[in-house]
Structure formats: structure tokens, C-alpha cells
Amino acid sequence: MADTSVHIQALKKMLAANELIVDEQDMAAFCLDQRRRYQGKVWAVVQPTSVASVQAVVKYCFEHAIPITPQGGNTSMCGGATPSDAVAGLGIIVSLSKLNRVRGVNVADNCITVEAGRILQQVQADAAAAGRMFPLSLASEGSCQIGGNIACNAGGVNVVRYGPMRDLVMGLEVVLPNGDLVEQLTPLHKNTTGFDFKQLLIGSEGTLGIITAATLKLFAPVKTHVTAWVGVNNIEAAVLLLQTMQQHFAERLSSFELISAFALDLSSQLLQLQQPLQAPWHVLLELTDSTDNSLLQEQLMQVLWDAEFAEAVVAESEQQREQLWSLREHISEAQRHLGASIKHDIAMPIGQVATFIHQCEQVLQAAYPQATLVVFGHLGDGSLHYNVFMADILSNEVYQYETDINALVYEQVFAVGGTVAAEHGIGQLKTQWMPYMRTAQELALMQTMKQSLDSKNLFNVGKVLP
Amino acid sequence: MADTSVHIQALKKMLAANELIVDEQDMAAFCLDQRRRYQGKVWAVVQPTSVASVQAVVKYCFEHAIPITPQGGNTSMCGGATPSDAVAGLGIIVSLSKLNRVRGVNVADNCITVEAGRILQQVQADAAAAGRMFPLSLASEGSCQIGGNIACNAGGVNVVRYGPMRDLVMGLEVVLPNGDLVEQLTPLHKNTTGFDFKQLLIGSEGTLGIITAATLKLFAPVKTHVTAWVGVNNIEAAVLLLQTMQQHFAERLSSFELISAFALDLSSQLLQLQQPLQAPWHVLLELTDSTDNSLLQEQLMQVLWDAEFAEAVVAESEQQREQLWSLREHISEAQRHLGASIKHDIAMPIGQVATFIHQCEQVLQAAYPQATLVVFGHLGDGSLHYNVFMADILSNEVYQYETDINALVYEQVFAVGGTVAAEHGIGQLKTQWMPYMRTAQELALMQTMKQSLDSKNLFNVGKVLP
């Protein structure tokens, strides 16, 4: 580590004072992941305020073979933004937090160009201020950043209608590992001019370069929301309800969330809110319309009635709607009070969800009678948050069982053709599972792509690739 | 060419009799592009009936360094599916026409898996038979194939609502240039497990591998169509109409086609149909709803009235709707009777379309007073078909002017931040324009990707890359 002080001097020369952090204490928050499971070690955190600063730093690091961990809002659930042990003490974090301006709104082409560090919630507000809507919405939207959302191909509650982040990106500006800038910020709706390189960056989790800005699709604002809470006896009934909604309301179905009775118990206790109804499983669904549609609520109630979903509450006011959503959105926070859990971000074909939930519960109960499940998620796109708590086991001892429990759960996921990285990415938490989801040929292809773009293997080392 | 007979013998051994064509006359149709501008030369056409056959042939060609031109419905407007001069007589065409089965329909996950050679119109019918809708729709849908649609990231008339082909692909099965099979056919709606390799194949025009099958998104069928023909005095009014429609009807706007008076003259004469109305410019627009929506037609008429679009015809019957669409869809055929034209498949930011049309017309009229323009296209996504005819010049002499006219037109396109390959791809027609649309760094990246996947440079040589 003899060179570190030389490098720090070099970085000081090329950066403004507010772009460089070298104090251990000031760096601490950047080095710890939000679940406090990964503790990285770096000798500097760079917070560029311009693309030129990003390029200068990346070029310097390329020349001196210094590992870089790109970081957005540091909300990764998989240690994706925290330096891995493979580069402990060897490199730097490049935080995009201060590269966070709106570059422009283009109403005619329904798009907005923002820098990578802009917080998701701000982008939602920017769109609203322009009379438009940006649909990505997820639990950490108050602190996660657009660049990270793109790097992880984020999902969330509106994927049913608007797709994941990949579907919302029109263009990217990227600093490659060698410091080259690739600028594909474009408002073109049709453009077939060779390989669409930016698609490789989407979902690459910082292993192929640093996203510095993006042009994002905007949509017409929603004028009509109809939100319902429906109780069902089992998963099969929830899947039937989903198909009924798609049949009658098609693209107006914008959210379809599954919540177990126990998950609802947790969040209703935390919020001190009454539960909308009692049932073994709950569905929070929302229909949206970009026109004023006064008939939609009645249509929904009629369809629920005709299909014999008797246990249903339809929000009668905006306040009631917010309460219903609040119950869903506070599950993650509420379960933290239970202690640590073994979390699974899984997805599978929708027709297989019931089979998976039954089989996986049986397998877990047989092996761990004290296991408690908190199950919720986006049934509308087949993705579940499947979290295992262990009663009578101290919080910090739960992780002793993680390897075994993961193996049990993931075996069931793979058995139904699912993925164990639905919307949180691979990070450093799940690299060992890649060979179960990608063939040897696909993994070899990924290595080829990685080698082509990051020839010195400096970017987010120890992530994604097994 | 001493080896050709040896290669033919080898192919005969690995293929069934109906998978191999070596007769010159039988090969002729595969070697000529649909615009009769490119005449390729090969020593065999292979029509595999299985993925195993594709792999066997590709492996053999890889070993013996034999160039391959992948071909779908051979409807490329840019010579993309016709062997280039660079490989004249050296290689083979692999036609996917006989690899055309439906592998399966998955209603729960709203998707269909089909083989590459399936004709687009058949896929539309397959979806309809399952109570669903596949939205890609374009002029050559009766003969173009899904694999080609994906390879060229096809667009068409429904992009405003459903996006181009890229947005409709959930998974691909691909044979790489070395014969390896990469299978990413999946019904997963969320899946973030490393680089999304299939995205590189979409829009690669056969230069990176052969797509053998795809899993495609399905949608709820449209239950309500409201179709209007609106006359406007100028492009500015057409853009204003587009914004009015988006403001009031948002995603219900599924088509917004601009048609010049002259383009309408041509197709109405061909079809011997009366013109819906007289105006300098015409817009064919369609609102669709996946629910029965009896109010939509009246709402549209009210909005047109309020916004003072007085020259408007709203289709009162399915027959009338079909007639309106027929006028749009027969422009290409009708203009062929005018003789050869210099065609431009361009797109630009929607806010720039009026500027472009004015400036480009001025430039062309100054240089070529005898030039006649046939302008039509998908204004809703900023893309235009901009075709230049030359009065008093014999059809086969028009192309003498192509280089000069392209330079004039494309200069105007680039001036407004547009692309000269909106939805037909690059093929061999437009490779020289790539450096005007992609930076040197992007082109270098594309070469890196090409080299990684097609190390012997055998696949669709002379296409896409400059």
C-alpha cells in the first residue's frame, strides 16, 4: 500500500475539494452496505460533480490498475455497491451522489435526461413537474439513485404495467473502464444502427463501466386510481384473481401485490393500523387510467362480485388508498424488528408460484420446524420476497443457517424454472448461484464481454460473475 | 472454389434432402433482395428444419471458415439478407423458413415461444387463437419472419403504444458463429442475472449469430378500435394533433401515421378508393382499448372538435376502418408503379419533424427541381419514409443520383439529431453512414463485440459495420 498517498495526491490535483473523501470516518458510511452484512475497505471515496471528473478518475485508475467500486444510493440488498474482499484496501469507491442534475425534459418526445446520482423520488417529482409520470417505484425510492436503478435493472411495484428499468431507458451516457465516454443519450423512438451497447450496461451492476446519465421514458400521468385489498384463501385463488383482472382490465392493471397474513400482521402492528380484512393471503391491486374514468371503480367492484371474491375492500378516498399502500410498503421495515432474516429475491413463471410456495414451505418446515416465513411481493410479475426467520435463534446467529436454507429454497426455485435474482441483482451475495441460472456457455460469453470492456478487471471486482 | 463440392457432400451427409438447395435456379430467389438491388452469389442454400441442423451447419462452416448469410423472409429494404459482394460465391445462405413451429403458448405469463422462421402474420394469428394479441404489425407481415423482425429490431405501425420488436422479446435461442447454442427462452418477467446477452442479438442483423427461436410478449386483445382520418394544413398541425391525442388519450393512442397528399393520391388510385378528404397532409390515427369502451369514439370526436380539427372522418364501421388502413398500407405498393425511388428510412425527435420536412424539401427542390417526394410514416414515433422520385428520368437511371440525394437528405437528418436507419436496419445499403450516427468509440466497441462473438468474421459479412 506504499502508493496510496501518491494516488491521493494525484486525485487531489484532478478533483475539487468536495469531490474527494479520504478520512476514515467520513468514508465509513460508503463502505458498509445497508443490510450491514458487507464491510468494504478503500483508501478514498470520490464524489465527482462532473462527467469530466469521472473520466479523469477512471483514466487514472485504469493507468494505475486501481480497482473501482461504483456506488449509487448504496441501497443494494446484495452487497453490490460495497467493495468486495477481493479488493479490500486496494481501491476506491466512486459515488455518483453529487452528479445529480436534470439535463433536460423533452415533452414532445416524452422523455427526461438526468444524471446518474439523481434520487429516484426526485426523478418522479421532475416528471410530475413537467406534467408527466416516471413509473419506477420501489421501497428505497427516497434514497436509491437512477444510475443504480439502471445498473441493477430495478423492478418494483409497477413492473406489471410499465416493465422493469430496462424498458424505461431510451439512452445512456457511460464512462468505460478505460475512461472512454460513450454517449447514447437520444430521444429517438426508433433507431436501428448496430448493436445496442447500452443494453449490456443495464443490469451489469457496475462491472462494465459507470453510468453517468440517462434519458428515460416518461408517461402520461395517472388520472384515475382504483385500489383494492382482496382476501383469498390460497395462492391458487390469488393467481385466479390475477388472471381475472388481466382479462377484464388488461394494461389498466398496474400493481398486483401478494401479502401473507403474517407479513400483514407485522406492518399493521408497526403502523398501528387496523387490517383491512382477515384472510390467509392478501392481494393489494391497483388499476390505473390516464384519463378520468369514473366508471372504473364500479367496474372493478362488479368484476370482483361476479368472480366471487367476496372479501374485498376498495379504497374510497386517497387517504384510504395511501393506508392500504402503507401496509404493503412497511413490511420490510416491520420485519427488521423481528431480527435478521434470510432473504430471497426470487421470481418464477406465474403459473408455478402456488406449487413453489407449497413445496418450499413443506421442505423448510421439515428441516427447520422453528422457521417463520414472511412472504410478499409482486405476484403480477411472478416475483416474491421470500424471507425466512428463525424463532428462538438469536438474530446474529441466523446467518449460520443461510447456506443450508438457501440451498433448500433455491432448489425449489430452480425446480419450477425460476430465478434467485429477480430484481435485486447478484452483487456479491449470489455469485455462486449464477451457474444454476446461466449455462456454461452463457457464463463464458459474459466473461468475454467483461474482458472486452474491462480488460484489467478493475470494475466492481467480485460481483455478478462467479 | 475447388472445395465447394467437398463441402456440398459434407452438408448432404448432415442434412435431410429437403434442407439443402444447390440448384442455381432454385437458389436464385434467395440470392436476390426484394427491391432487386442486390444480387448475392452462394454455392448452397440451407433450410434447416431443426436447431440441431442449424448447429451442425454452423459448426461445419466455422471449422472450414465458410461465410454464412442468415436469411428470414428476405424482405430487407437494405440488402441485409442478401450475401454481399465481399463473400460472393464463397459461402452459403442459411434460410430459417422451415424452422417455423410454435413451441408453446403460456397464457399465465402472457407469452408465446415460436421458431425464427414463423411468419409474422402467423404469430399474430397464433396469439389471437390463444385469446391474446401480438402487436408487431408492418407492411411485409405476410412474408417477413419473426427471426428477421428480431434481427432488425422491426418497428411498424404499433410502436407508439407497444414499442419496437426489442420491447416484445422476453427470451431468445441463438446459435453463435462457432456453433454453440445459447438458450435464454424464459417466461420470467423479472430476472437480473448478469449481462443480458440477448439484447446484443436484437438489432444485430445476423452479424452475431442465428436466432432460432424466441419467447415473445403477448397482450390483451383490443376490444375497441376508434380510427380517424384527419386532414391538416401542415406538419406543425399534425404534431399539435399528436400532442392533443397523447394528452387526452395517452397509451390508448396506438397508431399515428402521417401521409402526404401525393402519397394518398397514389394509393387511392391504386385501390380505386375515394379519398376520405382533401388536405395538404393527412393523419391516420387509431385509439385502442382492451375493454369494451363505447364512449371512446364520442370522446375522440369531441376532442377533435374542441381542438378545431374540422377536417376529420371517424370510421363508422369495421369496413370503413379497413378502407382507411388500406389507403395507408398500399402506399409502398402504389409508389412502385411510379418507378424506382430513392428511399430513406429516417427518424428524428418529434419536435424536429416539421423543421426537417421544410428544410429538406427546400434543399432538394433547389438541387433537383424535377424531384417528387412521397412522404409518409409513423409520426407518433418520429419516423418517416421519405422517398424521392425523379420525374422525366428513367426508372433505372434514378440510382445515379442516389449518392448525391442521400447526402442532401441525410445532412438534414443529422442536423436535427436524427437517424437514417429508423426501422429497416443498416444492411449493406447504409454501412457508410454509420460513422455519422455512432462515435468512433461506439464503432470500436461494436467491432470488439463482433470480434468476440464472430472471431473468424463469417456472419453476414459486409453488413452493419462500416
Side-chain angles (χ1 to χ4, degrees):
Chain A
M1 301 302 298
D3 281 333
T4 300
S5 63
V6 177
H7 294 322
I8 289 173
Q9 286 311 310
L11 291 180
K12 273 187 180 162
K13 269 195 178 166
M14 69 183 83
L15 296 171
N18 68 341
E19 294 183 312
L20 183 64
I21 303 172
V22 292
D23 178 85
E24 283 291 336
Q25 243 177 322
D26 294 343
M27 293 195 293
F30 296 90
C31 291
L32 184 65
D33 80 302
Q34 73 159 1
R35 295 179 64 201
R36 300 174 173 272
R37 298 198 61 188
Y38 295 99
Q39 175 76 58
K41 191 165 163 45
V42 295
W43 49 262
V45 173
V46 173
Q47 290 195 288
T49 58
S50 70
V51 176
S53 288
V54 178
Q55 275 195 279
V57 169
V58 171
K59 271 187 180 145
Y60 182 85
C61 289
F62 182 72
E63 279 160 23
H64 298 84
I66 297 168
I68 289 178
T69 302
Q71 188 174 95
N74 196 14
T75 61
S76 173
M77 305 292 277
C78 306
T82 319
S84 69
D85 288 345
V87 293
L90 300 176
I92 66 170
I93 286 170
V94 175
S95 160
L96 281 299
S97 301
K98 290 184 175 173
L99 194 68
N100 60 4
R101 287 166 290 256
V102 174
R103 297 244 185 110
V105 177
N106 175 341
V107 174
D109 287 289
N110 255 335
C111 59
I112 186 170
T113 300
V114 299
E115 292 177 337
R118 197 150 184 93
I119 287 170
L120 173 54
Q121 208 164 58
Q122 289 178 318
V123 178
Q124 294 166 350
D126 299 331
R132 294 289 186 275
M133 190 262 291
F134 183 65
L136 192 76
S137 177
L138 40 86
S140 62
E141 63 194 20
S143 53
C144 67
Q145 297 171 9
I146 271 306
N149 295 149
I150 296 169
C152 297
N153 188 23
V157 294
N158 286 329
V159 170
V160 175
R161 177 160 186 170
Y162 298 97
M165 192 68 197
R166 182 181 302 282
D167 294 0
L168 307 175
V169 175
M170 291 180 82
L172 288 186
E173 182 188 78
V174 178
V175 175
L176 298 180
N178 66 0
D180 280 355
L181 184 71
V182 175
E183 202 243 293
Q184 291 186 354
L185 295 171
T186 164
L188 297 177
H189 302 262
K190 286 181 178 168
N191 188 23
T192 298
T193 49
F195 318 149
D196 194 357
F197 166 72
K198 70 172 180 290
Q199 300 289 346
L200 273 186
L201 267 288
I202 301 171
S204 67
E205 301 187 38
T207 60
L208 298 180
I210 295 180
I211 294 162
T212 53
T215 298
L216 306 170
K217 291 182 196 169
L218 298 179
F219 294 81
V222 168
K223 289 190 182 153
T224 308
H225 288 96
V226 178
T227 309
W229 192 284
V230 186
V232 289
N233 285 327
N234 49 47
I235 309 292
E236 287 82 351
V239 172
L240 185 66
L241 176 61
L242 173 63
Q243 291 184 2
T244 304
M245 290 297 112
Q246 286 172 330
Q247 182 193 337
H248 287 274
F249 299 105
E251 72 283 354
R252 290 197 182 97
L253 180 66
S254 55
S255 300
F256 194 96
E257 300 288 303
L258 180 73
I259 300 157
S260 72
F262 183 57
L264 176 61
D265 285 344
L266 294 177
S267 67
S268 61
Q269 281 163 28
L270 175 78
L271 293 167
Q272 303 201 318
L273 273 176
Q274 211 188 333
Q275 298 192 7
L277 48 82
Q278 300 297 313
W281 289 93
H282 300 259
V283 169
L284 174 61
L285 68 90
E286 192 161 274
L287 308 180
T288 57
D289 201 313
S290 43
T291 66
D292 286 317
N293 186 338
S294 54
L295 302 175
L296 197 58
Q297 179 161 339
E298 202 177 319
Q299 286 171 349
L300 174 61
M301 289 164 79
Q302 187 65 48
V303 168
L304 289 172
W305 179 262
D306 290 347
E308 298 183 2
F309 289 97
E311 294 290 321
V313 172
V314 176
E316 295 287 343
S317 67
E318 182 57 26
Q319 189 201 356
Q320 208 182 346
R321 175 176 167 255
E322 279 169 17
Q323 280 185 0
L324 295 180
W325 272 107
S326 188
L327 287 168
R328 162 64 183 84
E329 284 160 357
H330 283 80
I331 296 171
S332 287
E333 186 183 335
Q335 70 181 1
R336 275 199 285 275
H337 299 286
L338 273 190
S341 71
I342 300 166
K343 290 179 193 288
H344 305 98
D345 164 41
I346 56 182
M348 57 206 71
I350 293 167
Q352 300 290 327
V353 171
T355 302
F356 165 78
I357 288 184
H358 295 314
Q359 290 182 345
C360 199
E361 189 167 3
Q362 275 180 22
V363 167
L364 279 175
Q365 296 294 354
Y368 295 97
Q370 77 275 47
T372 305
L373 297 172
V374 178
V375 180
F376 61 105
H378 320 295
L379 184 61
D381 42 53
S383 88
L384 296 176
H385 300 305
Y386 192 89
N387 302 331
V388 184
F389 291 83
M390 303 286 260
D392 308 325
I393 291 176
L394 283 177
S395 204
N396 53 6
E397 290 177 1
V398 166
Y399 294 127
Q400 294 175 11
Y401 301 91
E402 184 163 30
T403 305
D404 189 45
I405 284 179
N406 283 347
L408 292 176
V409 172
Y410 291 171
E411 190 182 355
Q412 300 305 317
V413 174
F414 299 137
V416 296
T419 172
V420 306
E423 59 178 3
H424 294 166
I426 299 293
Q428 48 189 314
L429 183 62
K430 296 183 182 170
T431 52
Q432 79 269 32
W433 297 105
M434 286 289 277
Y436 296 84
M437 297 183 284
R438 295 293 190 196
T439 63
Q441 267 143 356
E442 290 177 277
L443 292 173
L445 264 177
M446 286 187 205
Q447 291 287 5
T448 302
M449 299 294 129
K450 172 75 173 172
Q451 172 65 23
S452 303
L453 292 170
D454 184 15
S455 57
K456 295 186 178 178
N457 192 27
L458 300 174
F459 266 61
N460 225 6
V461 176
K463 317 289 173 67
V464 183
L465 295 160
Chain B
M1 302 301 299
D3 281 333
T4 300
S5 63
V6 177
H7 293 324
I8 289 173
Q9 287 311 311
L11 292 180
K12 274 188 179 163
K13 267 194 179 166
M14 69 182 80
L15 297 170
N18 68 339
E19 295 184 309
L20 183 64
I21 303 172
V22 292
D23 177 85
E24 283 293 335
Q25 241 176 324
D26 294 343
M27 294 195 294
F30 297 90
C31 290
L32 184 67
D33 80 301
Q34 73 159 1
R35 294 179 65 202
R36 299 173 173 274
R37 298 198 59 188
Y38 295 100
Q39 175 75 58
K41 191 165 162 45
V42 295
W43 50 263
V45 174
V46 173
Q47 291 195 289
T49 57
S50 70
V51 175
S53 288
V54 177
Q55 275 195 278
V57 169
V58 171
K59 272 189 180 145
Y60 183 84
C61 290
F62 182 72
E63 280 160 23
H64 297 85
I66 296 168
I68 289 178
T69 302
Q71 189 175 94
N74 196 14
T75 61
S76 173
M77 305 291 278
C78 307
T82 320
S84 70
D85 288 346
V87 294
L90 301 177
I92 66 170
I93 287 171
V94 175
S95 160
L96 280 300
S97 302
K98 292 184 174 174
L99 195 68
N100 61 3
R101 286 165 290 254
V102 175
R103 297 245 185 110
V105 177
N106 176 341
V107 173
D109 287 289
N110 255 335
C111 59
I112 185 171
T113 300
V114 298
E115 292 177 337
R118 199 151 183 92
I119 287 171
L120 173 53
Q121 211 165 56
Q122 290 178 317
V123 177
Q124 294 166 350
D126 298 331
R132 294 289 186 274
M133 191 261 292
F134 183 65
L136 192 75
S137 177
L138 39 87
S140 61
E141 63 194 19
S143 52
C144 66
Q145 297 172 10
I146 276 300
N149 296 149
I150 296 168
C152 296
N153 189 22
V157 295
N158 286 328
V159 169
V160 175
R161 177 159 187 171
Y162 298 96
M165 193 67 200
R166 183 181 302 283
D167 293 1
L168 307 176
V169 175
M170 292 180 83
L172 287 186
E173 181 189 79
V174 178
V175 175
L176 297 179
N178 66 0
D180 279 355
L181 184 72
V182 174
E183 202 243 293
Q184 289 186 355
L185 295 171
T186 163
L188 298 176
H189 303 262
K190 286 180 176 167
N191 188 21
T192 298
T193 49
F195 318 150
D196 194 357
F197 166 73
K198 70 173 179 288
Q199 300 288 346
L200 274 186
L201 267 288
I202 301 171
S204 68
E205 302 188 37
T207 61
L208 299 180
I210 294 180
I211 295 163
T212 52
T215 298
L216 306 170
K217 290 182 196 169
L218 298 179
F219 294 80
V222 168
K223 289 191 183 153
T224 308
H225 288 95
V226 178
T227 309
W229 191 283
V230 186
V232 290
N233 285 327
N234 49 46
I235 309 292
E236 287 83 349
V239 172
L240 185 67
L241 176 61
L242 173 62
Q243 290 184 3
T244 305
M245 289 298 113
Q246 285 173 330
Q247 183 192 335
H248 287 275
F249 299 105
E251 73 283 354
R252 289 198 183 96
L253 180 66
S254 54
S255 300
F256 194 96
E257 299 289 305
L258 180 72
I259 300 157
S260 73
F262 183 57
L264 177 60
D265 285 344
L266 294 178
S267 68
S268 61
Q269 280 162 27
L270 175 77
L271 294 167
Q272 304 203 316
L273 274 177
Q274 213 189 333
Q275 298 192 7
L277 47 82
Q278 299 297 315
W281 289 93
H282 300 259
V283 169
L284 174 61
L285 69 87
E286 192 160 274
L287 309 179
T288 56
D289 200 315
S290 43
T291 65
D292 287 317
N293 187 336
S294 54
L295 301 175
L296 198 57
Q297 179 161 339
E298 202 177 318
Q299 286 171 347
L300 173 61
M301 289 164 80
Q302 187 65 48
V303 168
L304 288 171
W305 178 261
D306 291 346
E308 297 182 6
F309 288 97
E311 295 289 322
V313 172
V314 176
E316 296 287 345
S317 66
E318 182 56 26
Q319 191 201 355
Q320 209 182 345
R321 175 177 166 253
E322 279 170 17
Q323 280 186 359
L324 295 180
W325 271 108
S326 188
L327 287 167
R328 162 65 184 84
E329 284 161 357
H330 283 81
I331 296 172
S332 286
E333 185 183 336
Q335 70 180 1
R336 274 199 286 275
H337 297 288
L338 273 190
S341 70
I342 300 166
K343 291 176 191 292
H344 305 98
D345 164 42
I346 57 182
M348 58 205 70
I350 292 165
Q352 300 291 327
V353 172
T355 302
F356 166 79
I357 287 183
H358 296 313
Q359 290 183 345
C360 200
E361 189 167 3
Q362 276 178 23
V363 167
L364 279 175
Q365 296 293 352
Y368 295 95
Q370 76 276 47
T372 305
L373 297 172
V374 177
V375 180
F376 61 103
H378 318 297
L379 184 62
D381 43 53
S383 88
L384 296 176
H385 299 305
Y386 192 87
N387 302 332
V388 184
F389 290 83
M390 302 285 258
D392 307 327
I393 290 176
L394 284 177
S395 204
N396 54 6
E397 289 177 2
V398 166
Y399 294 129
Q400 295 174 10
Y401 301 91
E402 184 163 30
T403 305
D404 189 47
I405 285 180
N406 282 348
L408 293 175
V409 172
Y410 291 172
E411 190 182 356
Q412 299 306 316
V413 174
F414 299 137
V416 296
T419 173
V420 305
E423 59 178 3
H424 294 165
I426 299 292
Q428 47 189 316
L429 183 65
K430 297 183 181 170
T431 51
Q432 79 269 32
W433 298 104
M434 285 289 277
Y436 296 84
M437 297 183 285
R438 295 293 190 196
T439 64
Q441 269 145 354
E442 289 177 276
L443 292 174
L445 265 177
M446 285 188 207
Q447 291 288 4
T448 302
M449 299 297 131
K450 172 74 172 172
Q451 172 64 24
S452 303
L453 292 171
D454 183 16
S455 57
K456 295 187 179 178
N457 192 29
L458 300 175
F459 265 62
N460 226 5
V461 175
K463 316 291 174 67
V464 182
L465 295 160

